[in-house]
Amino acid sequence: MLITHGRIATFGQNPQVIEDGAICLADDQIIAVGPTAELRARYPEAEQLDAKGQLIMPGSICAHTHFYGAFARGMAIPGAPARNFVEILQKLWWRLDRALDEESIRLSALVCLVDAIRNGTTTLIDHHASPNLIDGSLDLCADAIVQSGLRVCECYEVTDRNGPEGAQAGIVENVRFAKLLAARPNPLLAASFGLHASFTIGPETLDRCVAEAKSLDIGFHIHVAEGDADEIDSQTKYGQRVGEHLNAKGVLGEKTLSAHCVHVNQNEINLLAKTDTKVSHQPRSNMNNAVGTTPVQKMLDAGVCVGLGNDGFSNNMYTEMKAAYLVHKAVANDPRAMSGDTVTRLAYENNAHIASLFWPRPIGVIEPGAYADLVFLDHAPYTPLTAGNLPWQIIFGLDGTHITTTIVGGKVLMRDRVLLTLDEERIAAQAREIAPQVWQRFEEISLNEG
Ligand SMILES: [Zn+2]
């Protein structure tokens, strides 16, 4: 396929904005990028898709999300409002995950995938939990992902908070899913080894996870020092900071993705850098949970690869970029904090580096050899748009609502705002139908726990 007449923002090592540009796709990758006239002459037989002057960019990447949390939207939480992060987990997420059954896991994934296609987020790294249906839960997610056509890495969050059987079932699910993908690879799917967080996983369970992940040669996806409770727990139990404890246990490493890292100190930052552990920053979630603000600049200065995720907030990564741009300025009382080009470094360059842990070809860049994961935006800025000012054009001008067309691996998933792989209205209707049941189970669990 030959995409013609686009204004192409390439990103990558040598970022360019190509006016009246074209992109030639073959199979799931990009094979040529250049002026429309030139590529039309070179590929006269190719089927053409006219972008009609729209902006074409790489699809967004989300480095950390939770599809399973979808039914939290609009849900009432009984009792007094949570006073801190641990109470938010106890009163909301650790009850909602137990209310999920087969149908609600499937629909949680589907509604998030619809939202991702609409907002042009083409690669996501998901962290799943459903303690009452662990075995096969990642297959339910994977079926929805393959149907959607998006690119997603899955894992199951191991924790000791649901007893030893729950922990063991989580380990087995991670191993089962990773082995399944190794035996039957699908270019849209990938696996990592999910861990909830240090403060809900005892040392014996952690040792078993490390042994299994090592034998599978996969990395971990874990929440690190999201709230100060994680640090306090680690210091009380092990006399070590969370980062030190996880490093001693063999959890940190170049294939490991650690979400949040809000409360890490300089020594832990140095450990993250030394082990080449990847970090994902979720500014909207951090603000919502009132946990503090991730020391992103300190980590970047130390050489840590920090990307951007949404932690289950909307899959509009342009909104997450805006949040990152604003919150660090407000907290630092310094307008120089978190510059626009730092934001796009997180969202594109570093997220692409994180995605490269799971997929062999380049993602997040428009160049020959990269996956053909592209979005069209019907946005015509009223000031010049250049490779130099693109970060600020994105932050102040772009939004998920501008996305008209979403392409993953050369396949068109949405064209002119019409979804082609998922039946959006039917999925929403089914979700609305079962939501009261999920909420009722949630309420019963809440009442039982008082
Ligand atoms: Zn999370």
Side-chain angles (χ1 to χ4, degrees):
M1 179 165 63
L2 185 66
I3 298 166
T4 58
H5 304 300
R7 169 186 252 188
I8 303 168
T10 64
F11 290 80
Q13 292 300 318
N14 177 28
Q16 291 174 61
V17 174
I18 303 169
E19 301 293 343
D20 196 8
I23 305 170
C24 191
L25 318 181
D27 299 321
D28 66 347
Q29 56 177 298
I30 296 165
I31 57 166
V33 183
T36 293
E38 192 186 310
L39 262 62
R40 266 177 133 166
R42 219 194 309 168
Y43 302 100
E45 307 291 324
E47 174 206 351
Q48 292 190 20
L49 175 60
D50 189 345
K52 297 180 180 152
Q54 292 181 94
L55 179 61
I56 302 178
M57 304 209 303
S60 293
I61 301 168
C62 171
H64 176 74
T65 195
H66 300 281
F67 294 162
Y68 83 81
F71 283 102
R73 190 170 297 177
M75 187 176 74
I77 303 170
R83 288 170 301 182
N84 55 50
F85 174 57
V86 173
E87 284 195 7
I88 292 171
L89 293 175
Q90 288 166 343
K91 285 172 175 262
L92 172 54
W93 302 112
W94 294 352
R95 290 173 178 171
L96 178 60
D97 63 3
R98 280 184 282 153
L100 297 176
D101 62 2
E102 184 174 331
E103 192 61 355
S104 45
I105 293 170
R106 193 179 71 83
L107 284 163
S108 295
L110 284 169
V111 297
C112 290
L113 293 161
V114 165
D115 186 54
I117 295 173
R118 281 232 163 268
N119 285 293
T121 300
T122 51
T123 298
L124 302 105
I125 303 177
D126 186 48
H127 202 274
H128 177 71
S130 52
N132 285 321
L133 200 172
I134 298 176
D135 180 29
S137 60
L138 297 183
D139 291 350
L140 295 172
C141 298
D143 287 348
I145 292 157
V146 171
Q147 199 187 335
S148 75
L150 288 166
R151 201 179 292 287
V152 181
C153 177
E154 275 296 345
C155 71
Y156 189 88
E157 65 150 67
V158 173
T159 175
D160 279 325
R161 73 185 150 82
N162 300 304
E165 299 83 19
Q168 182 58 22
I171 293 172
V172 169
E173 182 62 1
N174 277 305
V175 171
R176 187 194 64 77
F177 187 69
K179 283 186 174 169
L180 180 78
L181 286 192
R184 278 190 280 156
N186 182 318
L188 296 178
L189 297 172
S192 64
F193 201 111
L195 301 173
H196 175 250
S198 169
F199 72 105
T200 72
I201 311 173
E204 295 80 21
T205 300
L206 201 52
D207 286 341
R208 294 215 308 282
C209 293
V210 171
E212 293 287 2
K214 288 240 155 73
S215 76
L216 291 163
D217 195 25
I218 58 175
F220 295 101
H221 185 182
I222 178 173
H223 298 94
V224 176
E226 180 174 0
D228 57 1
D230 202 12
E231 289 289 2
I232 293 165
D233 176 88
S234 181
Q235 282 166 316
T236 308
K237 286 182 186 157
Y238 315 115
Q240 286 175 313
R241 307 273 307 177
V242 173
E244 294 161 356
H245 171 60
L246 293 175
N247 186 47
K249 284 287 184 187
V251 173
L252 302 188
E254 57 177 7
K255 288 181 183 165
T256 288
L257 174 59
S258 50
H260 300 296
C261 296
V262 175
H263 293 273
V264 292
N265 69 10
Q266 190 61 47
N267 187 46
E268 290 168 292
I269 291 172
N270 294 343
L271 281 173
L272 292 167
K274 200 175 112 193
T275 55
D276 195 15
T277 301
K278 313 299 184 282
V279 171
S280 171
H281 174 42
Q282 287 70 229
R284 285 184 293 178
S285 166
N286 293 164
M287 288 191 277
N288 187 48
N289 290 331
V291 290
T293 313
T294 300
V296 172
Q297 194 58 51
K298 276 188 187 167
M299 288 197 265
L300 293 174
D301 290 346
V304 179
C305 173
V306 184
L308 197 67
N310 65 24
D311 213 12
F313 268 71
S314 77
N315 290 296
N316 186 340
M317 291 305 290
Y318 306 106
T319 308
E320 199 73 50
M321 287 186 236
K322 290 169 176 58
Y325 184 78
L326 297 173
V327 69
H328 290 273
K329 291 174 178 60
V331 169
N333 254 321
D334 185 346
R336 295 168 300 179
M338 191 56 76
S339 62
D341 49 344
T342 305
V343 174
T344 53
R345 183 175 157 201
L346 264 58
Y348 289 93
E349 192 181 324
N350 292 358
N351 270 359
H353 190 56
I354 292 168
S356 75
L357 296 174
F358 310 110
W359 288 279
R361 293 188 185 287
I363 292 178
V365 55
I366 299 177
E367 67 181 23
Y371 286 115
D373 296 1
L374 307 165
V375 292
F376 297 1
L377 301 101
D378 72 342
H379 173 63
Y382 57 80
T383 53
L385 181 147
T386 65
N389 72 16
L390 185 61
W392 293 268
Q393 289 280 10
I394 292 174
I395 288 163
F396 292 102
L398 289 194
D399 187 57
T401 54
H402 292 126
I403 304 284
T404 66
T405 296
T406 301
I407 299 171
V408 174
K411 184 174 173 182
V412 183
L413 310 186
M414 178 171 77
R415 183 164 181 183
D416 297 332
R417 293 197 166 91
V418 177
L419 271 73
L420 303 177
T421 54
L422 297 177
D423 186 339
E424 186 178 13
E425 280 179 27
R426 192 155 154 258
I427 289 166
Q430 288 176 339
R432 273 195 303 274
E433 204 179 305
I434 68 155
Q437 298 155 32
V438 177
W439 290 359
Q440 196 184 337
R441 288 196 294 274
F442 173 85
E443 209 175 300
E444 283 161 12
I445 292 166
S446 303
L447 286 173
N448 284 339
E449 292 191 343

